[in-house]
Amino acid sequence: MIGFIWLVTFLLVFGTLAYQRASLVIWTISFALLLAFATKLHGFTVSVSLSWMVYLTLALLLNITPWRRRLSQPLFKFYCKVMPSMSHTERDAIASGTVTWEGDLFRGNPDWQKLLSLPTPMLTAEEQAFLDGPVETLCRMLSDWDITHNRADLPPEVWEFMKKQGFFGFIIPKEYGGKQFSAYAHSQIITKVSGRSITASTTISVPNSLGPAELLLHYGTEEQKHYYLPRLARGEEIPCFALTSPDAGSDASAMTDYGIVCFAEHAGQKTLGIRLNWNKRYITLAPVATVIGLAFKLYDPDRLLGHQEDIGITCALIPRNTPGITIGRRHFPLNTPFQNGPIQGKDVFIPIDWIIGGVKQAGNGWRMLMECLAAGRAITLPASTLGGAKVLSYATGAYAHIRKQFNMAIGRFEGIEEPLARIGAYTYIMDAARTLAVSSVDMGEKPAVASAIVKYHVTELGRKIAIDGMDIHGGKGICLGPKNYLGRGYESSPIAITVEGANILTRNMIIFGQGALRCHPYVLAELEAAHLSDPKAGLIAFDKAVMKHMAFGMSNVIRSVVLGLTSSYLVVAPRGKTKRYFQHATRFSSALAMMTDVSMLTLGGSLKRRENISARLGDVLSYLYLLSAVLKHYHTQGEPVDDLPLVRFAGDYCLYEIQTRLDELLRNFPNRWAAFFLRRLIFPWGLHFTKPKDKLNHKIAQLLMTTSETRRRLSAGAYLAPEENVLADIQDALIKTIASEPIEKAIKSAKRNSEIVGYTILEQAQSALEKKVITMEQFDIFIQAEEARQKVIAVDDFTTAELARIIINVDQSYAESNGTDG
């Protein structure tokens, strides 16, 4: 019995120390005290003496560094042997950017107070004035039907307005004539404009995201900055950046575009430069660009720059009118006519100082691009998708109330409530995730992993709700024309899925592949130790990291078991109605950390090729990030009770998806014994998280179908101006429909009781007025509501001649807008 008590005591002490992640010193002292207490009670019995021997052996080996390194040395040699090789581009991608909240989630014990205390992004007075002034004006100028059907371009006056108002200089500092806006302001502007026109928002996005201006800001020479940045800010130069090639899409390192360092004549003088040949496609703004940012592989066969022939991927700025460039033709991405097309260059000679950053940046192009993309990916595409989602949730909720079938609003049907609830909840998630990522950019971070998570999931959720919106609208959604506010967004949703890292690549290779190395507290340190040229220094660094890693792994096993058995009730979390979501997130954070370590240990270098495994691990990290963002967003907005259905739907959705991905991972884990034990550790009571309940669907649908504060908060930031437009018509019809519903109910009741006559609702209303069932005022309210409803549900129709596109010479249209030859 005494032995059993001591065994339980030992396990409790061991488990407590591991759960709390005690330091080695605390472990050593704690077990010394435990054994001292046992010795005092029982003396030096055989078992106590044996325990002291084991304890002293381990304590000396682990605490005396030279002795400990003798243990870690064979492990270090084995690690160096099995460690997968990495290309130069992979190392640059992993090293790019910084780690933000996703790093806390990877550590298995997130500090929720740290999350909640992160600064709330705010607009400056200047930024707010720009949104209320030029951005509102631009939105009023945009007619998406005219842009997409008639012109296949923005009107000349829109081009001119955007240049004069500085829409192409958000990221450029004031000293160069730019706006120097925050990432949050940039995101808010794109959100508002994209709800009106994807063509316009994309045109604004490119000069303000990954491209010449950003590369110049971070890496350009002073001469390059002072020449180009003021011209870019004023719109005198329209930039594009050419990266993608026919044979090199997601795998940019496979590009065949190249440059040879050589001497040639330039401006009448013998000049050291680069002779370039390239074939690029999918380049946004290329047809109208005046300056081209180009990524290419640079070679120096004559060693004119040094001792290396293969210098690597390099970026340069090249004026459009440089001899040898073919540019101007266009791609047509899914009926969304933002300027996009191919560029070819044949024997194009450029001076060596046209390299961005000069000669010293030759070969650093891939690192430059990855570092810029780490921040930019969090802004443009999530904001563009969110703008459409806000408009969709605002309009679809109202439409579901306005549109009637079977004598009732279609939003009353459970079959409509389900997709309508998804639209609302997913929009909430998208807004929360976008805001959290953008706020980290404004704090000076370059959130490489977080930006990949947000880009992937916001665009995927956007595509899903585009389908839901189309399903709810039915025929109204598929008939294109000025009255259609869904069609072009539905058509264009795959575009965001494809660009800045295709979503399949992002999910399968980037989120976990980069996240495991950057976010894990010790893996990157171990990897860097293995790459040190000095084996002794490598062992010292590896020993320090691996000892902590082993303790970290042991802790996560204990935490996973304890939190699984107790259903995470032991987790200390912020109080309130969302407390359980914080607790469950902590539990799954520990499970993710444990699964990551086990996957690395059992699969080793082959994990790099096990894309389905890494994708599911990445999904767990992603949904933890999305859930964190939702909880932070709710807290930031003051925790309005009315928004709880959205928060609970989002929380239930994320937890269910985490559970599902872990279950799929365990079902397909190659090491079946490990999978067996891991399932018992992570899910000791089985799978009990479910999809959001039908009751939540109903509550959210009701919130979106009325003029609720929740609906207003959800659509905040979208262009919803009250002047004559489709969205204003929808809001007007919703308000009038709600006001007329008691009147319509009285009319229908009178009809059922044979008090009035009439075959149509209008005839019945007239009869109800004559029979004094309703008053003249009520009759007017009802008729106005019916007229407003008919206006909203109407669709466009055309003659065949009207459907034929009005062909405009695009070069001429652009030339009119900037006063240059196309």
Side-chain angles (χ1 to χ4, degrees):
M1 185 64 182
I2 294 175
F4 176 76
I5 293 173
W6 278 109
L7 176 62
V8 172
T9 303
F10 171 83
L11 292 175
L12 284 173
V13 172
F14 184 92
T16 301
L17 293 173
Y19 185 90
Q20 297 295 338
R21 295 184 173 170
S23 66
L24 180 59
V25 173
I26 299 298
W27 277 87
T28 305
I29 294 173
S30 298
F31 276 100
L33 292 173
L34 180 64
L35 287 173
F37 183 65
T39 303
K40 185 174 182 179
L41 286 179
H42 306 292
F44 281 99
T45 63
V46 174
S47 59
V48 171
S49 299
L50 187 61
S51 297
W52 270 111
M53 291 175 61
V54 172
Y55 165 77
L56 289 173
T57 301
L58 291 175
L60 292 172
L61 282 174
L62 294 176
N63 284 278
I64 299 176
T65 304
W67 292 10
R68 188 180 68 232
R69 286 177 188 159
R70 291 189 177 184
L71 293 176
S72 58
Q73 186 171 20
L75 185 61
F76 179 56
K77 290 181 179 179
F78 175 76
Y79 182 84
C80 292
K81 183 178 179 180
V82 302
M83 180 185 63
S85 61
M86 285 194 298
S87 67
H88 179 69
T89 53
E90 285 179 311
R91 286 196 295 271
D92 281 347
I94 289 169
S96 66
T98 58
V99 177
T100 57
W101 176 249
E102 68 279 8
D104 291 69
L105 294 171
F106 228 108
R107 286 168 172 79
N109 188 23
D111 181 353
W112 297 112
Q113 289 301 331
K114 173 185 173 182
L115 173 70
L116 298 182
S117 64
L118 290 175
T120 301
M122 300 288 289
L123 296 173
T124 65
E126 180 185 1
E127 291 167 344
Q128 187 64 61
F130 190 83
L131 268 165
D132 295 340
V135 176
E136 287 280 321
T137 302
L138 174 63
C139 289
R140 285 194 295 270
M141 296 172 69
L142 298 172
S143 167
D144 200 47
W145 177 250
D146 180 50
I147 292 166
T148 59
H149 183 76
N150 297 333
R151 296 177 178 274
D153 192 10
L154 297 171
E157 62 271 18
V158 170
W159 277 102
E160 190 62 27
F161 179 82
M162 291 193 298
K163 292 176 188 177
K164 287 184 176 180
Q165 295 297 327
F167 276 85
F168 299 150
F170 296 159
I171 65 173
I172 298 175
K174 293 181 184 296
E175 63 182 289
Y176 299 108
K179 297 292 185 183
Q180 200 173 342
F181 282 167
S182 64
Y184 182 62
H186 181 182
S187 177
Q188 288 293 88
I189 293 166
I190 297 301
T191 296
K192 178 165 283 192
V193 176
S194 66
R196 287 288 283 171
S197 169
I198 290 294
T199 303
S201 66
T202 304
T203 302
I204 297 168
S205 297
V206 171
N208 292 295
S209 59
L210 178 63
E214 186 167 16
L215 292 170
L216 284 171
L217 281 171
H218 293 289
Y219 311 105
T221 65
E222 289 304 310
E223 182 181 358
Q224 290 171 341
K225 291 178 182 178
H226 281 92
Y227 177 77
Y228 276 113
L229 291 178
R231 298 169 65 85
L232 290 167
R234 293 192 299 265
E236 293 178 20
E237 299 278 9
I238 298 297
C240 70
F241 191 83
L243 176 62
T244 304
S245 305
D247 294 319
S250 297
D251 181 13
S253 64
M255 69 174 70
T256 55
D257 314 292
Y258 69 95
I260 304 295
V261 179
C262 62
F263 282 99
E265 186 174 313
H266 178 77
Q269 294 183 342
K270 183 180 180 181
T271 304
L272 177 64
I274 307 168
R275 191 166 299 282
L276 291 159
N277 288 275
W278 75 80
N279 180 21
K280 302 288 190 179
R281 64 179 183 179
Y282 310 149
I283 312 305
T284 300
L285 294 189
V288 297
T290 61
V291 59
I292 302 161
L294 182 73
F296 58 92
K297 289 183 176 179
L298 182 61
Y299 299 97
D300 185 13
D302 297 328
R303 308 300 199 274
L304 297 176
L305 300 182
H307 302 290
Q308 188 176 0
E309 178 179 355
D310 185 355
I311 295 176
I313 295 175
T314 301
C315 298
L317 284 182
I318 308 172
R320 178 193 181 101
N321 58 6
T322 304
I325 295 176
T326 302
I327 190 171
R329 292 186 63 81
R330 296 178 60 179
H331 302 309
F332 192 26
L334 292 174
N335 276 331
T336 308
F338 55 86
Q339 295 285 341
N340 183 282
I343 310 176
Q344 293 86 31
K346 176 70 173 175
D347 292 331
V348 178
F349 181 80
I350 65 170
I352 200 74
D353 58 7
W354 287 10
I355 294 175
I356 297 176
V359 176
K360 69 177 182 179
Q361 291 294 356
N364 292 331
W366 186 247
R367 176 181 57 81
M368 293 159 59
L369 293 171
M370 289 298 98
E371 288 179 352
C372 291
L373 187 62
R377 190 163 46 192
I379 302 172
T380 302
L381 291 173
S384 297
T385 307
L386 178 62
K390 283 179 173 289
V391 169
L392 182 65
S393 62
Y394 182 84
T396 306
Y399 185 82
H401 197 140
I402 297 163
R403 179 64 167 154
K404 297 177 182 178
Q405 291 288 276
F406 305 102
N407 291 318
M408 61 187 289
I410 62 171
R412 307 295 181 195
F413 292 95
E414 290 185 351
I416 298 296
E417 285 183 344
E418 183 178 0
L420 185 56
R422 280 198 300 265
I423 290 173
Y426 288 178
T427 300
Y428 192 91
I429 294 171
M430 294 159 69
D431 199 3
R434 180 273 314 217
T435 303
L436 180 58
V438 166
S439 66
S440 67
V441 176
D442 280 332
M443 289 190 292
E445 303 286 353
K446 294 183 177 180
V449 178
S451 65
I453 290 172
V454 173
K455 185 270 176 180
Y456 173 82
H457 284 278
V458 169
T459 56
E460 286 291 340
L461 292 176
R463 176 162 59 177
K464 290 176 181 178
I465 65 174
I467 295 171
D468 283 334
M470 190 64 74
D471 287 348
I472 292 172
H473 283 77
K476 168 73 175 177
I478 66 173
C479 292
L480 291 174
K483 296 185 178 70
N484 189 310
Y485 45 87
L486 289 181
R488 295 306 192 202
Y490 174 85
E491 285 181 318
S492 65
S493 60
I495 297 174
I497 300 289
T498 303
V499 299
E500 290 191 7
N503 277 10
I504 290 177
L505 167 78
T506 301
R507 176 176 179 260
N508 284 272
M509 300 179 70
I510 295 178
I511 294 176
F512 180 78
Q514 192 170 1
L517 295 178
R518 291 309 310 274
C519 299
H520 194 289
Y522 307 112
V523 168
L524 185 59
E526 293 164 350
L527 194 64
E528 289 173 343
H531 277 106
L532 289 176
S533 57
D534 182 357
K536 185 176 180 180
L539 175 60
I540 293 172
F542 180 81
D543 171 73
K544 184 178 180 180
V546 78
M547 288 298 118
K548 291 181 179 179
H549 191 165
M550 292 170 65
F552 174 77
M554 183 170 59
S555 172
N556 284 316
V557 171
I558 298 299
R559 290 179 62 84
S560 295
V561 172
V562 172
L563 296 181
L565 288 172
T566 62
S567 191
S568 59
Y569 276 105
L570 293 181
V571 176
V572 178
R575 296 180 179 276
K577 296 182 182 298
T578 58
K579 180 178 180 179
R580 291 297 287 151
Y581 293 112
F582 286 108
Q583 292 178 320
H584 290 313
T586 298
R587 170 192 172 184
F588 282 129
S589 175
S590 294
L592 170 63
M594 180 180 68
M595 279 299 311
T596 298
D597 281 337
V598 172
S599 298
M600 290 180 173
L601 181 64
T602 58
L603 299 177
S606 67
L607 179 58
K608 179 180 176 180
R609 299 181 295 276
R610 298 278 189 163
E611 295 173 21
N612 288 335
I613 291 176
S614 63
R616 290 174 178 127
L617 287 168
D619 287 342
V620 175
L621 175 62
S622 295
Y623 285 112
L624 283 170
Y625 187 89
L626 296 182
L627 177 55
S628 301
V630 165
L631 296 172
K632 165 65 174 172
H633 194 63
Y634 182 62
H635 175 77
T636 298
Q637 292 194 329
E639 302 186 357
V641 176
D642 290 348
D643 291 0
L644 265 177
L646 291 170
V647 176
R648 285 177 172 151
F649 186 111
D652 292 347
Y653 165 74
C654 289
L655 291 173
Y656 176 77
E657 292 296 330
I658 291 169
Q659 174 185 264
T660 300
R661 297 304 188 276
L662 287 171
D663 178 51
E664 292 172 351
L665 179 59
L666 294 170
R667 289 179 185 276
N668 293 279
F669 202 72
N671 189 317
R672 299 312 302 154
W673 280 108
F676 175 84
F677 288 108
L678 285 168
R679 183 174 291 279
R680 273 70 194 168
L681 295 176
I682 298 172
F683 300 116
W685 309 119
L687 309 178
H688 68 271
F689 292 100
T690 63
K691 291 182 179 181
K693 302 290 195 300
D694 292 346
K695 288 183 179 180
L696 278 179
N697 292 340
H698 176 74
K699 290 178 181 178
I700 294 171
Q702 297 309 304
L703 290 169
L704 294 187
M705 289 169 58
T706 62
T707 56
S708 65
E709 283 298 299
T710 296
R711 178 170 173 263
R712 181 193 62 78
R713 281 188 290 269
L714 199 60
S715 59
Y719 178 74
L720 305 172
E723 79 270 1
E724 184 72 16
N725 62 57
V726 176
L727 293 180
D729 292 342
I730 290 174
Q731 181 70 355
D732 177 64
L734 175 63
I735 294 170
K736 290 177 177 176
T737 297
I738 293 172
S740 72
E741 283 176 341
I743 303 169
E744 183 177 359
K745 185 178 180 180
I747 294 171
K748 289 181 177 179
S749 177
K751 174 62 177 174
R752 284 194 300 271
N753 296 331
S754 302
E755 297 175 25
I756 59 174
V757 296
Y759 296 110
T760 67
I761 189 67
L762 292 177
E763 292 176 350
Q764 292 166 14
Q766 183 65 46
S767 178
L769 176 63
E770 293 170 356
K771 300 290 187 180
K772 299 188 183 305
V773 174
I774 60 175
T775 66
M776 188 65 194
E777 181 183 1
Q778 290 175 317
F779 178 78
D780 289 340
I781 291 172
F782 178 79
I783 294 299
Q784 290 174 18
E786 185 63 18
E787 290 174 350
R789 189 178 72 84
Q790 290 296 330
K791 186 177 182 180
V792 167
I793 68 174
V795 297
D796 298 284
D797 51 73
F798 309 89
T799 65
T800 300
E802 288 171 335
L803 276 178
R805 297 179 186 274
I806 300 173
I807 305 300
I808 292 181
N809 184 296
V810 174
D811 289 341
Q812 180 181 348
S813 174
Y814 179 72
E816 291 173 0
S817 70
N818 71 350
T820 63
D821 292 334

